[in-house]
Amino acid sequence: MNCQSIGRFRHPYDCGKFVDCLPDPETGKLYSREGSCNGQAFHPTFKKCGSIDKVKGCKPRSGRAIAANHKLDYVCEGASSEFVCADCKTLVNCINGTAYPEPCASGDLCAVKDAQFGGGVCYPSEPIECMCEHPNEFKVDYYDETRFFFCENQGSDPVIYQCPDDHLFVPSLSQCRSYAGLPECTSIGVFANELNCSQYYTCIFTTNGWVQKPSSCDNETHSGLMYNEQTGKCEDPCTWDTGKFSCSVEGRFPDPVNCNAYYECVEDDSYESGLRQTHHSCPDGYEWDPTAREAFGHCVVQGTRKAKCSPVKENKCFIPQDQCNATGDQ
């Protein structure tokens, strides 16, 4: 077919096919590309495939039919007989709700052009959202946020990847995250969502991979609770021991978060609290024992300490300052 303008047109010899007329980016001239309605008829007015009885006198010729992919039938919901884009490199010809995918050739991207093509079409260098503008770049797919693509070089064809089930691609993190915004499972257990510790999740490993079950501390009777990984419970975060130390009297005291260190508190009027607080560490191979030297405390050989040391572990949850100030805690 000799193309005169950009668009999707009836095939000159077969009503069961159509012809896309596209611009060649290098020459600027138009070239033609045939497509099949897979046993259906092409309706030139609506620019889509449909029932044969809708196109008067149509008798499609037999020819090579494209294969259906029922995994992509979901993109045809609400568009039973349309041309739609499943992702930046996959055009889907929806015929009676069944998906017939057509991968776009090198240099082409799936673009929606309703005026000329009545829907999606594999088009040269459009849309810009699907183009590789920078080398070594990850971008979320323009049509499906559960997919992403990698750009090896500027102007190269995007390579499409699929996130795991129940995940979407987060561009700012360049990784797939669950719909609930939960981190990826890397070990078995129950963990707090450090970005929002009112949520927590269980990680279970099966023969089919990781299973992640989200949960929430919010309920009708309590609000503001966060999941504490140390106790395995939803608690008021303002009651948590943060391990913060402040001098109240003179003396030497163990560091709540480090068994090999201690604080020294000395009266000094130049400080607002009246006490100068200094942090010290024991030498390598030694640890602080508050019971040594008649309970004045001293560094002892590691493993010989008489007092039990259970350092406070840093909590990864972000606690808004106003939340605890309102209760007078922290």
Side-chain angles (χ1 to χ4, degrees):
M1 177 175 174
N2 185 18
C3 290
Q4 301 298 318
S5 60
I6 296 175
R8 180 168 286 144
F9 306 98
R10 181 203 306 244
H11 192 281
Y13 311 116
D14 189 346
C15 62
K17 294 183 178 181
F18 57 91
V19 177
D20 287 338
C21 289
L22 304 160
D24 187 323
E26 295 183 1
T27 65
K29 297 181 180 180
L30 298 179
Y31 68 95
S32 63
R33 184 176 61 212
E34 291 186 3
S36 172
C37 283
N38 204 51
Q40 300 290 305
F42 181 74
H43 198 298
T45 302
F46 300 109
K47 301 181 185 294
K48 63 183 182 181
C49 297
S51 301
I52 296 176
D53 57 8
K54 298 292 184 180
V55 180
K56 186 178 180 181
C58 178
K59 294 181 180 180
R61 298 182 181 182
S62 60
R64 184 180 67 86
I66 57 176
N69 184 344
H70 294 294
K71 291 183 178 180
L72 291 175
D73 284 349
Y74 71 92
V75 303
C76 297
E77 294 179 5
S80 62
S81 295
E82 303 283 349
F83 290 90
V84 298
C85 293
D87 57 53
C88 285
K89 288 292 293 184
T90 307
L91 173 69
V92 172
N93 187 354
C94 294
I95 301 176
N96 293 332
T98 299
Y100 295 88
E102 301 179 33
C104 294
S106 177
D108 286 350
L109 302 167
C110 197
V112 177
K113 291 185 171 292
D114 291 323
Q116 303 100 322
F117 296 89
V121 59
C122 288
Y123 204 83
S125 303
E126 291 188 32
I128 191 171
E129 292 85 355
C130 291
M131 292 183 63
C132 285
E133 301 176 279
H134 306 284
N136 300 317
E137 181 181 31
F138 287 95
K139 296 176 69 174
V140 64
D141 189 274
Y142 180 57
Y143 300 102
D144 187 347
E145 60 185 2
T146 69
R147 302 185 184 204
F148 63 97
F149 59 85
F150 175 69
C151 296
E152 184 175 357
N153 296 298
Q154 182 179 4
S156 63
D157 256 13
V159 180
I160 309 294
Y161 296 93
Q162 175 73 52
C163 287
D165 291 344
D166 300 323
H167 285 61
L168 52 81
F169 186 74
V170 182
S172 60
L173 301 175
S174 293
Q175 63 180 247
C176 296
R177 299 292 290 268
S178 71
Y179 284 109
L182 301 175
E184 292 296 296
C185 286
T186 57
S187 59
I188 297 173
V190 184
F191 308 96
N193 177 10
E194 59 187 280
L195 300 179
N196 178 9
C197 284
S198 66
Q199 299 175 337
Y200 60 100
Y201 57 98
T202 304
C203 289
I204 304 170
F205 189 76
T206 70
T207 55
N208 295 320
W210 288 105
V211 174
Q212 187 180 71
K213 180 184 177 182
S215 302
S216 175
C217 288
D218 292 332
N219 57 55
E220 295 180 358
T221 57
H222 296 87
S223 61
L225 301 182
M226 292 185 178
Y227 185 76
N228 187 343
E229 290 185 3
Q230 309 305 318
T231 63
K233 299 178 181 179
C234 289
E235 301 170 341
D236 179 358
C238 300
T239 65
W240 290 349
D241 185 357
T242 62
K244 185 178 180 181
F245 178 85
S246 295
C247 287
S248 57
V249 295
E250 280 193 312
R252 294 188 178 94
F253 306 92
D255 184 341
V257 299
N258 187 349
C259 296
N260 303 91
Y262 61 96
Y263 285 96
E264 186 177 72
C265 301
V266 178
E267 287 189 2
D268 191 330
D269 292 337
S270 65
Y271 288 82
E272 184 178 351
S273 65
L275 293 165
R276 182 177 72 249
Q277 178 174 305
T278 310
H279 187 258
H280 299 275
S281 296
C282 291
D284 290 342
Y286 287 79
E287 55 191 347
W288 180 256
D289 184 354
T291 66
R293 299 196 66 232
E294 299 181 353
F296 284 106
H298 204 270
C299 293
V300 299
V301 175
Q302 202 156 13
T304 65
R305 177 179 51 221
K306 295 180 180 179
K308 182 180 179 181
C309 181
S310 300
V312 176
K313 294 183 179 180
E314 182 180 0
N315 199 297
K316 63 185 180 182
C317 295
F318 169 75
I319 306 171
Q321 187 175 6
D322 293 343
Q323 179 173 335
C324 292
N325 286 346
T327 64
D329 295 326
Q330 196 170 341

